[in-house]
Amino acid sequence: MQSYCVDAQIPDADMLGRLVRYVIMTFVVMIALSQVEVGGDIVQRTFLIILAGLMLALALAFGLGGKNWAAALLQRWWPQSGKDHDS
């Protein structure tokens, strides 16, 4: 993923590569727990609840805590063509 983003000249390719790596590892852990049947449903549900809480916390921190930084980052990732889309 990281080499693709670098070749496509996408900014922050290293961050996106790490993010994809962690997402894949999360799914691998969930599948492994399911196959080994460690703790049953309670472990999987607890893991998903913790993951959902973490994602909600990160989304709130990104959107509310760093509003200006988030706007600048999104502008860098998807630059507008200079037209005002509000009209």
Side-chain angles (χ1 to χ4, degrees), residues 10-82:
I10 296 175
D12 301 319
D14 57 335
M15 181 182 68
L16 292 173
R18 283 189 306 240
L19 180 67
V20 169
R21 182 181 304 145
Y22 293 136
V23 167
I24 290 172
M25 287 302 296
T26 301
F27 285 120
V28 167
V29 167
M30 288 180 63
I31 291 170
L33 287 175
S34 174
Q35 291 296 314
V36 177
E37 297 179 1
V38 174
D41 252 1
I42 191 75
V43 171
Q44 291 177 353
R45 289 180 191 216
T46 303
F47 185 72
L48 287 176
I49 289 170
I50 291 171
L51 184 64
L54 180 64
M55 291 298 111
L56 179 62
L58 289 174
L60 285 172
F62 183 76
L64 297 175
K67 188 168 46 173
N68 294 332
W69 178 78
L73 187 63
L74 291 174
Q75 178 64 28
R76 190 171 74 199
W77 285 348
W78 294 290
Q80 293 181 354
S81 60

